[in-house]
Amino acid sequence: MSVDGGLRYPVRMVLRRVPRFRIDPSLSHSGVFDGGWWPRSRRIERELPGLVQALWPVVGPVLHVAVERSAWDGVPERITVGGHVVRINCFSSSAHTMSVGGGHQDHFLLLVVPPATRRSVALAAVASAASPGNSRPASRLLASPARRGRSQPLPPLPQ
């Protein structure tokens, strides 16, 4: 698996780091977000291949993503995942969102939880973003669970 710019990452390295994400299982696009992702770092060239591989069986081929440039430590124009090129576009919107697009003109909007976020906040935000019909903006989803009044247990994400 290669990342443009000559950097090389072995497949086993990406697969060992299972991405921490959830997506609305109905794929209904009924909420503000279609899912949530909690990357481990701000290095998109390291984090994105694992997410793309994990999304592929759920949403189909990922051909492009759009991210807010300021949320990442450098953004390449494309990466190659499993022999497929994924274009990366930048937009000026929320540092906490990512648009993922496939070959069927279907787009998915993901909440991107900052890597340094407290685990309890990140788990709650990802779970809420992946709930069908979610209606809260990123700023509310990333607020402290105590401020939201959330008390039910949260499902685990990969470590």
Side-chain angles (χ1 to χ4, degrees):
M1 185 169 305
S2 69
V3 175
D4 288 315
L7 300 174
R8 299 256 182 241
Y9 296 101
V11 172
R12 67 182 177 279
M13 181 177 183
V14 173
L15 295 178
R16 217 177 326 149
R17 295 174 52 86
V18 175
R20 301 177 296 189
F21 85 103
R22 295 242 187 279
I23 195 153
D24 173 0
S26 72
L27 302 178
S28 66
H29 300 296
S30 63
V32 172
F33 293 101
D34 300 303
W37 178 40
W38 184 25
R40 291 174 174 79
S41 75
R42 290 175 36 105
R43 294 177 49 204
I44 198 166
E45 76 279 355
R46 183 172 184 187
E47 301 294 330
L48 192 55
L51 179 65
V52 167
Q53 284 183 324
L55 284 172
W56 192 289
V58 180
V59 303
V62 174
L63 302 178
H64 54 90
V65 299
V67 298
E68 166 58 50
R69 184 179 303 280
S70 67
W72 302 98
D73 295 337
V75 179
E77 290 181 11
R78 67 186 61 82
I79 61 170
T80 302
V81 180
H84 300 276
V85 175
V86 178
R87 289 188 338 265
I88 303 174
N89 298 311
C90 294
F91 61 86
S92 296
S93 183
S94 170
H96 306 298
T97 62
M98 169 186 277
S99 174
V100 176
H104 303 294
Q105 301 300 320
D106 205 2
H107 288 20
F108 297 87
L109 186 63
L110 300 181
L111 171 75
V112 179
V113 178
T117 302
R118 274 193 349 259
R119 184 171 180 76
S120 61
V121 173
L123 291 174
V126 169
S128 293
S131 299
N134 62 75
S135 61
R136 287 182 268 173
S139 60
R140 294 259 336 264
L141 291 175
L142 294 170
S144 167
R147 288 179 35 205
R148 286 195 312 266
R150 185 173 190 104
S151 60
Q152 66 264 28
L154 300 168
L157 288 174
Q159 296 293 322

